[in-house]
Amino acid sequence: MEETKNLVALITKGIQDKKGHGIVIADLSAIDGTICRCFVICQGNSPQQVEAIAESVSDYVRETTGEKPVNCAGLGNNQWVAIDYVDVIVHIFLPETRAFYDIEHLWEDARLTRLADVD
């Protein structure tokens, strides 16, 4: 679980570095049958910012741990980018796409941690 916490911290740094906001960490570890231990959910204000956040997250994780994502979906479209690190899946949304899918609340048993936005 310590590796997962470190990964979440790196992901969060990558998001904050590009001024991503509305960061929510959904801890799924106590729920049977989930696809990962955590979701890290955030948003950017434009498709360009969503892409920049995704690149920043990937760079932070790769440069610090050498780990690359198993999969990255949504680049090019940049309304919802999902980056899969097996134990942690990062979801980067445009605001309207995030509101539409509302994935924080699909897993109602998950423990949610909301991080304050940084300036």
Side-chain angles (χ1 to χ4, degrees), residues 11-69:
I11 289 165
T12 301
K13 268 185 153 178
I15 293 167
Q16 292 171 332
D17 189 55
K18 296 299 179 187
K19 307 285 190 241
H21 57 94
I23 301 171
V24 174
I25 300 164
D27 182 348
L28 309 173
S29 61
I31 304 170
D32 289 335
T34 58
I35 58 174
C36 63
R37 291 181 188 211
C38 287
F39 283 165
V40 178
I41 305 158
C42 71
Q43 64 191 47
N45 294 322
S46 68
Q48 294 82 3
Q49 187 182 17
V50 167
E51 183 175 352
I53 292 167
E55 289 175 4
S56 179
V57 166
S58 295
D59 289 346
Y60 266 90
V61 173
R62 188 182 65 254
E63 289 168 6
T64 307
T65 68
E67 189 173 344
K68 294 180 181 177

Side-chain angles (χ1 to χ4, degrees), residues 22 24 26 28 39 41-43 79-80 91-110 112 114:
V24 174
L28 309 173
F39 283 165
I41 305 158
C42 71
Q43 64 191 47
Q79 292 186 19
W80 175 4
H91 298 274
I92 308 162
F93 289 98
L94 286 177
E96 57 275 9
T97 309
R98 183 178 186 173
F100 180 80
Y101 288 102
D102 194 23
I103 65 170
E104 289 100 313
H105 299 102
L106 287 178
W107 300 90
E108 59 187 37
D109 294 341
L112 300 180
R114 297 180 195 293

